[in-house]
Amino acid sequence: MHYRAKGKDYFALGLLNDSGGYELRNPFWKGSLGSKDITTIPGDSRRVSVFEGLFDYLTALQLSGRALNDTVIVLNSVSLAERAIARIRELDAERINVYRDHDAAGERLLESFAKALPTATIVDKSDAYPGYCDLNEGYLAARKSGKACAAI
């Protein structure tokens, strides 16, 4: 996306969210244009894959080599977990794959999904990238650089 703020032109990768706003990311800035919200990408509503951020989702696409069949929810912030839970309830999903960060916020996120959605199968997909911060920054970047996340 190209956009203008305070008289200056900028560009960023933009992801449309469910409120019609955009989640913007570039090497210098991470923020929102318009309302901040989750992003829902339709797919099989019985299975939902939840990603903390856009780059984790893009990494999953790169690693799989194809689009995901699941409905995808990109949180755009872990503080929006309740909105994701409400959307998952609307979908009546049976299985929720959670691609969380290996940090305290990621732990709380997983716990909140398990508590709020007791009839669904919650799968902690972070088991697929042990020893790394998250799917993107840790796993994919470390595969390329050979370095693990310092926070672990």
Side-chain angles (χ1 to χ4, degrees):
M1 293 188 61
H2 292 269
Y3 61 99
R4 179 176 280 265
K6 297 183 181 180
K8 292 186 178 182
D9 293 323
Y10 297 95
F11 68 92
L13 181 62
L15 178 67
L16 181 65
N17 68 36
D18 291 3
S19 292
Y22 287 90
E23 304 301 323
L24 302 176
R25 305 293 182 268
N26 70 30
F28 313 106
W29 189 70
K30 176 179 173 178
S32 302
L33 183 63
S35 298
K36 183 144 193 80
D37 203 351
I38 63 172
T39 298
T40 305
I41 301 166
D44 182 346
S45 63
R46 294 169 297 165
R47 296 174 50 102
V48 175
S49 286
V50 178
F51 297 90
E52 283 196 30
L54 169 61
F55 286 105
D56 293 323
Y57 170 58
L58 294 176
T59 298
L61 291 177
Q62 181 178 354
L63 292 172
S64 71
R66 60 178 175 76
L68 302 178
N69 292 329
D70 304 359
T71 291
V72 170
I73 295 177
V74 179
L75 294 176
N76 298 313
S77 171
V78 292
S79 67
L80 298 175
E82 288 301 319
R83 291 185 193 181
I85 288 167
R87 178 62 39 85
I88 291 167
R89 284 185 179 134
E90 289 171 9
L91 297 168
D92 198 25
E94 299 166 2
R95 178 184 171 111
I96 297 94
N97 298 314
V98 182
Y99 293 84
R100 67 177 184 89
D101 290 1
H102 283 140
D103 60 12
E107 271 298 317
R108 287 190 301 272
L109 179 68
L110 191 62
E111 290 169 5
S112 69
F113 276 85
K115 184 177 179 181
L117 303 163
T119 62
T121 300
I122 310 295
V123 181
D124 182 0
K125 297 301 275 190
S126 73
D127 291 344
Y129 41 97
Y132 299 103
C133 296
D134 64 21
L135 185 58
N136 176 59
E137 288 181 357
Y139 185 66
L140 188 62
R143 280 184 42 187
K144 290 180 179 179
S145 72
K147 297 178 184 175
C149 175
I152 302 244

